[in-house]
Amino acid sequence: MTRPRVVVIDDHDVVRAGIRSYLSERYTVCGEAADIADGIDQVLTCRPDVVVLDVHLPSGHGSRVVSAVKQQLDHVKVLAFSVSAEREDVASMLRAGVDGYVLKSTFGEQLVDLVDELLDGETPVSPQIAGFM
């Protein structure tokens, strides 16, 4: 059985390493990126099942990644993973087509379960975000 494939897009090396560490036991982390352009390239090259995406990147808002990915690979699920619970950030990501939005205060072990939920067709959302949806 093939393991689901994941791309991680976050501008902090230590965050990407942590996400990779948690997810690599159950998933194949096939790509990583620190900015929008490289992130989109990684997704198009890797063709993952899931993208774990920071909302704020130095090169712009993560919604740009979501829009680009969904236009070209509509089967890819995108999980926003952010420190931001701001209404505008959530709204931007939802308009772009994000499949779930969880805060980085989530415990690492929970991230694996959240990716499982996403792959099962659910919409994982942190309680602080749920009211915006």
Side-chain angles (χ1 to χ4, degrees):
M1 178 166 140
T2 358
R3 291 164 40 130
R5 298 163 53 89
V6 178
V7 168
V8 179
I9 305 171
D10 192 294
D11 58 319
H12 295 97
D13 292 340
V14 70
V15 173
R16 286 195 316 275
I19 294 170
R20 181 179 56 249
S21 174
Y22 282 111
L23 295 182
S24 63
E25 290 186 24
R26 192 173 305 167
Y27 305 107
T28 299
V29 178
C30 60
E32 295 181 28
D35 62 44
I36 291 171
D38 192 29
I40 293 169
D41 287 345
Q42 287 291 318
V43 172
L44 295 178
T45 300
C46 217
R47 304 180 80 79
D49 301 289
V50 174
V51 176
V52 177
L53 171 66
D54 193 2
V55 172
H56 291 282
L57 298 165
S59 53
H61 201 271
S63 59
R64 291 173 46 200
V65 174
V66 179
S67 296
V69 166
K70 294 290 185 172
Q71 285 177 10
Q72 297 184 54
L73 301 170
D74 63 353
H75 76 281
V76 175
K77 303 287 187 183
V78 181
L79 179 65
F81 190 57
S82 179
V83 297
S84 176
E86 296 296 319
R87 182 180 300 275
E88 186 50 42
D89 285 332
V90 176
S92 269
M93 295 300 279
L94 288 171
R95 281 191 302 271
V98 76
D99 300 287
Y101 195 117
V102 295
L103 297 177
K104 286 184 176 176
S105 57
T106 300
F107 294 110
E109 311 84 47
Q110 290 175 309
L111 185 58
V112 175
D113 295 333
L114 294 167
V115 171
D116 283 344
E117 288 177 20
L118 198 66
L119 289 168
D120 287 341
E122 297 176 41
T123 304
V125 178
S126 289
Q128 303 89 323
I129 304 298
F132 299 147
M133 301 180 80

